Amino acid sequence: MAVERTLSIIKPDATKRNLTGKINAKFEDAGLRIVAQKRIQLTPAQAGEFYAVHKERPFYGELCEFMASEPVVVQVLEGEGAIAKNREVMGATNPADAAPGTIRAEFAESVGENSVHGSDAPETAAVEIAYFFSGLELVG
Ligand code: CMP
């Protein structure tokens, strides 16, 4: 399997509850390497641009407001099959459907405040990584 990179975001509900370290331990225990990471405060407009694909969804406004409500930690995770592996470690979008032991099963508060985001495909991973990081910030 190819070594991939994926964009991960530790969301406001998790940074607020001091869960960054516990969530990072889940990634590292699964063999994902955190090759870039920074804590930033998004504006609603920046969150809106990142989630532009969801613009027509009824929850878009709420999502943008939530993502700008507290700092987030944006990161690049690297490893074999990192995109699928990260989605496995995160669990289903809705914590009610997330498998036991996954980040969302253990930490997420609701489908909206679900602790983490992860890219869903190689093409989106490339775009999402470039949204937050320059090539110089990626040290494998
Ligand atoms: P994420 O993986 O970051 O991608 C889009 C986000 O939209 C998703 O996680 C959820 O946080 C959010 N989302 C999806 N469905 C709903 C919903 N029904 N209500 C509120 N937020 C949602």
Side-chain angles (χ1 to χ4, degrees):
M1 198 180 289
V3 172
E4 295 174 335
R5 285 176 172 172
T6 189
L7 191 277
S8 165
I9 305 178
I10 302 180
K11 296 187 180 184
D13 66 284
T15 61
K16 189 167 63 181
R17 287 177 290 147
N18 229 13
L19 293 171
T20 300
K22 285 189 173 136
I23 290 173
N24 278 348
K26 293 267 194 199
F27 294 141
E28 294 187 337
D29 288 350
L32 291 163
R33 295 177 65 78
I34 302 164
V35 298
Q37 174 169 261
K38 56 191 173 190
R39 182 176 168 101
I40 58 173
Q41 173 79 52
L42 290 172
T43 64
Q46 288 165 338
E49 195 182 340
F50 178 78
Y51 278 120
V53 67
H54 295 302
K55 202 156 32 184
E56 306 306 326
R57 309 286 281 274
F59 56 79
Y60 179 68
E62 192 184 313
L63 175 62
C64 298
E65 204 175 299
F66 165 64
M67 291 300 288
S69 65
E70 296 275 341
V72 295
V73 174
V74 293
Q75 3 177 246
V76 178
L77 307 180
E78 183 182 87
E80 288 202 1
I83 295 166
K85 187 177 281 184
N86 181 38
R87 293 179 72 77
E88 218 178 282
V89 175
M90 289 193 298
T93 304
N94 186 340
D97 302 326
T102 60
I103 292 170
R104 284 168 171 159
E106 287 193 15
F107 304 125
E109 303 197 293
S110 64
V111 66
E113 304 201 1
N114 62 355
S115 302
V116 280
H117 165 83
S119 308
D120 63 4
E123 301 70 30
T124 44
V127 171
E128 292 182 357
I129 289 170
Y131 189 71
F132 290 112
F133 294 96
S134 77
L136 287 174
E137 292 175 298
L138 300 174
V139 183

